[in-house]
Amino acid sequence: MKNQYDLLNGSSVDFDEYEEIELTASEKKRMKKRLKRDIKPARKKARPLIAAAVLLLAVTPVMMQNETVWASAVRISQQIGQQIEMLMNKPEGSLSSYKKTVNETATDQGIQVKVNEMMLDDGQVLLGLTISADEFRRTALGLKRDAPIRPGELRVKIGNMSFFDSASSIREEEPIKNKDGSWNYLYALKLTQADTDGDGKIDVKGYNVLDHIDPNKNYQISAQFTSLEFEKNPGQTKSGNYRDSYGEIKGNWTVHTSVNGSKIIADTKVYPLNKEIPINEKGIKGVLSIKEVRVSPVSIKLHYTFTSSTGSINHGTNVGVKIKDQNGRNLSESGSGGGTDTVLEMDGEYRNDKDVIMLRFIPYVSDHEKDWSKDLTSDAFNLKVNNN
């Protein structure tokens, strides 16, 4: 198959096709910084994508002062690929050996969901998405002006395993709107709850998909969105209630592809911790248990439990773990979990930046009802990690 970037060779760009886009000062600064970062490596190793960007700069030296050209260059970069890296603020191409180019579109009720890229990560799947609808459909839905249609519920099937009813999130520093009115998203679904026998019910919780797939095998995978979400036009919102301001579109947007987990499995490190930390703070007593930490090229995963020794845990009580890097940066991103009256069970997910070489684990306790929180720095500990 011909390399997708080879298709750029000999191509031309008609700037009349691009509308002028007025950019803020911060947007200009961010775009210039990104282009400088992308072009710099070309001096060491030429790449067709970078060469195309350099050619654009060389042919139009005067026009580069015009914001239209900056916007055009960024749109071209988005359309070519690298969407997952861009939305995760990682160097362009840094995840190319882990992700899969899909470029498949599913349409229902006049709304298109295009899966540009897919990446299997430790405990989750990442989808680079573009969602679009024509003006007629947007008007019929009563969308707020310039409001995006967002991804909703997702069901993923890998081989004979189905994953749903799991935590999901849309990861974005800023929503990215394209020239044609579509929106780009990075959507993450945790692969922690599985239906392994095909009866349509979750029968395994705390599932770790990388521990159950054969690295030498390609798996068929389907991603099915059963709903999308949008913010309504204020003029069509009658009650003023927050929930009434948002609508849900039920449907079926499904794409199919295949995945191989060999590379992500090989580059995901598991570090046993087996920590038992006694907690005794302002009536919160028990044991915080941390079994292991898993470090993938994309994320850091930590599973921990807190078992109370004083009976029922108040609804506002929280016992958890923060993770910082060697420079003191907080890596926390999201968490999910549940439990009983006496046991809290949590899965913490933390951002994995390329330059992280040491993790500092800091237990904490908090009570939202009493509005207080405390880091247990005396129980903090460090771990060196191999993050090549």
Side-chain angles (χ1 to χ4, degrees):
M1 179 181 293
K2 192 172 183 179
N3 189 301
Q4 58 181 325
Y5 300 132
D6 289 341
L7 299 176
L8 286 171
N9 296 332
S11 64
S12 61
V13 180
D14 183 0
F15 292 102
D16 292 334
E17 295 181 359
Y18 294 89
E19 64 180 15
E20 292 198 7
I21 302 174
E22 191 68 27
L23 303 178
T24 65
S26 62
E27 287 173 331
K28 295 176 188 177
K29 182 177 180 181
R30 180 157 53 90
M31 290 176 181
K32 292 177 182 179
K33 182 179 180 182
R34 177 174 173 78
L35 282 175
K36 288 179 181 178
R37 182 188 65 194
D38 289 346
I39 293 171
K40 186 175 181 181
R43 297 171 184 171
K44 297 180 180 180
K45 182 179 180 181
R47 291 183 293 177
L49 174 59
I50 302 302
V54 173
L55 177 62
L56 177 63
L57 292 171
V59 172
T60 58
V62 178
M63 292 181 65
M64 288 311 294
Q65 300 300 320
N66 190 315
E67 286 82 354
T68 303
V69 180
W70 288 112
S72 299
V74 172
R75 297 303 179 206
I76 293 169
S77 177
Q78 290 175 5
Q79 292 165 5
I80 291 171
Q82 313 301 340
Q83 190 186 40
I84 287 181
E85 287 95 333
M86 180 177 65
L87 293 174
M88 295 189 75
N89 197 28
K90 285 184 173 289
E92 187 174 351
S94 61
L95 301 176
S96 59
S97 60
Y98 304 103
K99 65 183 183 179
K100 174 74 177 289
T101 299
V102 180
N103 286 336
E104 285 197 15
T105 301
T107 302
D108 192 4
Q109 303 176 60
I111 303 172
Q112 293 78 43
V113 176
K114 181 182 180 183
V115 178
N116 304 298
E117 299 173 334
M118 179 180 293
M119 177 177 170
L120 188 63
D121 183 33
D122 184 33
Q124 65 181 347
V125 64
L126 304 173
L127 303 178
L129 304 171
T130 301
I131 300 181
S132 59
D134 59 32
E135 196 61 34
F136 175 80
R137 177 60 53 183
R138 293 174 61 85
T139 301
L141 290 170
L143 262 70
K144 181 180 178 181
R145 181 177 177 81
D146 294 328
I149 299 176
R150 297 176 177 272
E153 293 294 326
L154 174 65
R155 299 173 68 98
V156 169
K157 186 173 183 180
I158 303 175
N160 295 322
M161 302 175 291
S162 296
F163 302 88
F164 51 93
D165 288 342
S166 298
S168 61
S169 61
I170 300 174
R171 301 183 173 193
E172 55 189 19
E173 288 189 357
E174 300 175 11
I176 297 179
K177 184 179 181 181
N178 298 311
K179 182 176 76 80
D180 60 1
S182 62
W183 293 80
N184 290 344
Y185 299 99
L186 178 58
Y187 188 96
L189 177 73
K190 291 187 180 297
L191 304 178
T192 54
Q193 299 197 135
D195 170 17
T196 60
D197 56 14
D199 66 354
K201 299 179 181 179
I202 296 295
D203 51 67
V204 177
K205 296 184 179 180
Y207 196 87
N208 196 300
V209 66
L210 294 192
D211 293 342
H212 293 84
I213 61 176
D214 184 346
N216 299 313
K217 181 179 178 181
N218 291 327
Y219 290 85
Q220 294 300 309
I221 179 171
S222 66
Q224 177 191 23
F225 283 98
T226 59
S227 70
L228 304 175
E229 300 170 352
F230 64 94
E231 185 176 356
K232 296 179 181 178
N233 189 314
Q236 299 188 19
T237 303
K238 299 179 181 179
S239 67
N241 186 293
Y242 177 82
R243 288 192 173 188
D244 193 37
S245 299
Y246 291 84
E248 183 180 55
I249 311 164
K250 294 288 189 180
N252 181 4
W253 296 267
T254 304
V255 300
H256 303 269
T257 186
S258 62
V259 294
N260 181 287
S262 58
K263 180 65 173 172
I264 192 69
I265 290 173
D267 292 345
T268 296
K269 311 294 192 305
V270 180
Y271 300 89
L273 297 177
N274 298 317
K275 294 285 186 178
E276 299 285 332
I277 301 173
I279 304 294
N280 187 358
E281 293 289 337
K282 294 189 176 183
I284 302 175
K285 296 181 181 181
V287 176
L288 175 65
S289 302
I290 310 173
K291 181 182 178 182
E292 64 183 21
V293 62
R294 303 172 66 100
V295 181
S296 84
V298 171
S299 58
I300 300 168
K301 303 288 197 314
L302 185 68
H303 181 80
Y304 55 89
T305 60
F306 173 69
T307 304
S308 172
S309 60
T310 58
S312 180
I313 302 173
N314 295 327
H315 293 296
T317 299
N318 186 29
V319 179
V321 183
K322 297 178 181 178
I323 297 183
K324 296 186 178 183
D325 69 1
Q326 68 276 4
N327 298 315
R329 292 180 299 177
N330 195 328
L331 302 180
S332 299
E333 281 206 342
S334 64
S336 62
T340 66
D341 287 342
T342 58
V343 178
L344 292 176
E345 188 169 357
M346 294 294 296
D347 289 293
E349 182 175 324
Y350 310 80
R351 185 178 70 254
N352 183 10
D353 293 333
K354 185 66 176 177
D355 58 349
V356 171
I357 58 175
M358 190 271 288
L359 302 177
R360 181 165 179 79
F361 301 84
I362 307 172
Y364 70 88
V365 295
S366 65
D367 191 322
H368 299 301
E369 292 183 352
K370 297 179 181 179
D371 194 25
W372 69 268
S373 179
K374 180 180 179 180
D375 290 348
L376 306 180
T377 54
S378 61
D379 293 307
F381 59 96
N382 300 336
L383 173 70
K384 289 185 178 181
V385 296
N386 179 12
N387 196 17
N388 295 326

